[in-house]
Amino acid sequence: MAQSSSASAATHTVRGACPHDCPDTCALEVTVSDGRVVKVAGAADHPPTAGVLCTKVAFYPERIHHPDRLLYPQRRVGAKGPGARFERISWQEALAAIAERFRRIATEHGAEAIVPYSYAGNSGLLGYGSMDRRFFHRLGASQLDRTICASAGAMGYRGTIGASVGFDVENVVDARLIIIWGSNSVVSNLHFWRLAQEAKRRGARLIAIDPCRTATADKCDQHIALLPGTDSALAFGLMHVLIRDDLLDHAYIARHTLGFDALRERTLTFTPARVAEICGINEAEVEQLAHDYGSIGPAAIRTNYGINRTAGGGMALRAVSCLPALTGAWRHPAGGVLLSSSGNYPVDTAALERPDLMPAPTPRMINMSTIGHDLLRAQPPIKALFVYNSNPLAIAPDSAEVVRGFARDDLFTVVHELFQTDTADYADILLPATSHMEQLDIHKSYGHLHIQVNQPAIAALGEALPNTELFRRLAREMGFSESCFADSDDDLCRQAFDWDDPRMSGLSWETLKIAGHARLNLPRGAAPFAEGGFPTPSGKCEFYSQTMAGEGVDPLPDFIAPREWRQSPLASEFPLALISPPARNFLNTSFANSARFLAQEKSPAVHLHPADAAARGILDDAPVRIFNRRGEFHARAVVSDRVRPGVAMATSIWWRKLSPDGRNCNEVTSQALTDMGGGATFYDCLVEVARRVA
């Protein structure tokens, strides 16, 4: 709806889409009055959203019109770091300064000395990766391996299933068993939770698997509180019991799977007793969960990326994704497993990003999860960073190294942002970014099957620019003459998908611009793998993956223990396993500078089981320090049995500058990488917690 029929000339409603890194990708109705966003509501006619928004997005006008919005280009004057000061400059001055420095670095050190750093601060296809990728490809800059959230789990899941696909989430209302594995759906997947609740009203049993008793676990029929990093062991325990007690669909296994005999052999040592010991749970819980899964159907597993943030994170998703093929759960529309639905969308990544613009040989790859290490030690050295859609000073692991890297006097840093974040304090040039309500974009989702258009609701505030226009202008300043740098945002949206793909049948950019959203042309109420047809090389669910063997990974799933856990020598010094899931009112570091949400979160907190708190003489609400050999941060203690013994939970991610001690939980996390995909291991982290004199 471009404008409501009853609206005055000054008030109208615009179709939008939430750009944040969340599986729900809600459709928005944005009410604008006199050039200001005054209300944001969920679109009632969008089935996944159904008129409901999370609290964070419902208060979006406060974010759009926040008094601290960056509105003009600026140049740093004085020292880098907290308290950095900037002076206003023109866009032409900013672009000229960036282009001059990039040319000099490319001449003196090679273009690979320039590194883009971005992630999903904006998940729209244009905002996430389009004109920016074209620019850095043409420049010959280092490539960025965007691993920090999902790469390990995505690789492990694809090794079994073949792509980021699974059951259609709209069918889950008909499930009779729903296992929510490593996901706090009430907080981070609200619209799936709405469907799970409907299934529960129809008689479904809900089970949460999570080290903490989350808001989601509270509302489930059962909560299994395993130790962090032991998910694949639990999956193997379930497989052991399913095979031992013949709770299998032999016909499905024979026709639609590959490598069952080898998998069965590997499961033999994962007895319920051994698995219970590894996971820190009861043997009876393993037996009962396996029998529930093998006998109650349709059975759906909704998992998320929390379980891929440990040393064996890829194998964890690989093991979990084997389960539905053993029991034939895929035969049912409401059965199977879902990690991400993003693989259903025929995105034309090559058209958006133009990798053909890269020089030969292909420039080196820098892993975003090890940016601290690479800023200090990469060869050839990194001489320039261009940061957008991310806040690495707060979100990257091992913060102390990240800070040291960004503080280098010889590092030229450009930051394109809405606010002066922790990272922006280290910028040489600071550029104002538009919010999604000031720019055009098109969205896929990783939690449902709808495409959405985000129309700009208001004119850009101040002199803010979207990523696309920024890199268009910078390409001109650099003298790049390729015609692709003249593509408009409308052109980019038209290039974003393969519109000839059968899944796009009946859809076009022109019709979507009017409708605002539409479902992919995939049948409703269908079971995607009832008759096999997995998007793997064999067309089967691959318990044994020759593709993974070719990539140097064990072709069978396995349990890979955390590097830092209770059986490590390190545990004698640092006995608590730290996890740092999102605070309810933050999304990574987005919204973490909102006065409303800061007041609700109060201050950084670390949750401890009463037994662990008592052993350390720690009382509820007491000031504590959380530390290991990498560093420490301060928080207040929350003593509660919502956290299992042996685990500390620090709600995240606080801006460092808004934390009492100028640090956050990533002061103690590690730059060690996952078993596959080069992912971050945030939840593979041993610490100690001690009282602190306030």
Side-chain angles (χ1 to χ4, degrees), residues 21 117-122 128 146-150 368 388-390:
D21 190 3
Y117 194 102
S118 71
Y119 199 62
N122 185 328
Y128 178 77
R146 292 171 172 85
T147 61
I148 207 157
C149 175
M368 70 183 303
Y388 56 104
N389 286 353
S390 190

Side-chain angles (χ1 to χ4, degrees), residues 85-121:
R85 294 182 298 108
F86 293 84
E87 64 179 8
R88 181 176 171 180
I89 57 175
S90 69
W91 264 107
Q92 186 50 47
E93 288 176 295
L95 294 171
I98 296 166
E100 188 279 328
R101 192 65 173 266
F102 278 8
R103 288 193 196 98
R104 182 166 18 122
I105 290 171
T107 299
E108 296 176 359
H109 304 280
E112 284 186 328
I114 302 167
V115 177
Y117 194 102
S118 71
Y119 199 62

Side-chain angles (χ1 to χ4, degrees), residues 146 266 344 682:
R146 292 171 172 85
R266 184 154 285 184
N344 289 286
F682 292 110

Side-chain angles (χ1 to χ4, degrees), residues 143-168:
Q143 301 176 80
L144 185 72
D145 199 3
R146 292 171 172 85
T147 61
I148 207 157
C149 175
S151 59
M155 184 174 175
Y157 189 89
R158 287 195 300 267
T160 306
I161 304 300
S164 293
V165 294
F167 63 77
D168 181 345

Side-chain angles (χ1 to χ4, degrees), residues 127-279:
Y128 178 77
S130 60
M131 197 61 71
D132 57 308
R133 309 297 172 92
R134 296 179 184 188
F135 174 82
F136 288 112
H137 288 160
R138 172 63 177 79
L139 181 63
S142 288
Q143 301 176 80
L144 185 72
D145 199 3
R146 292 171 172 85
T147 61
I148 207 157
C149 175
S151 59
M155 184 174 175
Y157 189 89
R158 287 195 300 267
T160 306
I161 304 300
S164 293
V165 294
F167 63 77
D168 181 345
V169 72
E170 293 179 34
N171 296 333
V172 82
V173 293
D174 295 320
R176 287 298 169 264
L177 178 69
I178 300 175
I179 299 175
I180 302 174
W181 199 323
S183 178
N184 186 4
S185 302
V186 170
V187 171
S188 59
N189 196 183
L190 179 63
H191 294 84
F192 169 79
W193 179 248
R194 176 176 58 83
L195 298 172
Q197 285 289 84
E198 175 59 26
K200 187 177 182 181
R201 284 190 288 271
R202 298 182 187 186
R205 177 172 172 79
L206 272 56
I207 300 173
I209 300 175
D210 196 295
C212 303
R213 196 174 78 247
T214 61
T216 303
D218 271 342
K219 296 175 174 62
C220 288
D221 298 289
Q222 183 183 4
H223 170 218
I224 297 175
L226 78 178
L227 285 164
T230 63
D231 303 88
S232 56
L234 179 56
F236 265 98
L238 302 185
M239 288 190 271
H240 178 100
V241 175
L242 292 171
I243 294 169
R244 183 198 69 193
D245 295 351
D246 198 22
L247 299 170
L248 303 173
D249 185 329
H250 292 282
Y252 193 91
I253 292 169
R255 291 184 59 195
H256 303 307
T257 73
L258 186 68
F260 173 70
D261 290 340
L263 179 69
R264 177 177 56 195
E265 187 69 23
R266 184 154 285 184
T267 67
L268 291 177
T269 62
F270 287 91
T271 63
R274 181 188 174 211
V275 167
E277 169 60 25
I278 292 171
C279 298

Side-chain angles (χ1 to χ4, degrees), residues 453 499 504 506-518:
V453 175
W499 300 95
M504 303 294 285
L507 303 177
S508 71
W509 170 234
E510 285 68 28
T511 58
L512 273 169
K513 278 194 291 187
I514 297 169
H517 54 79

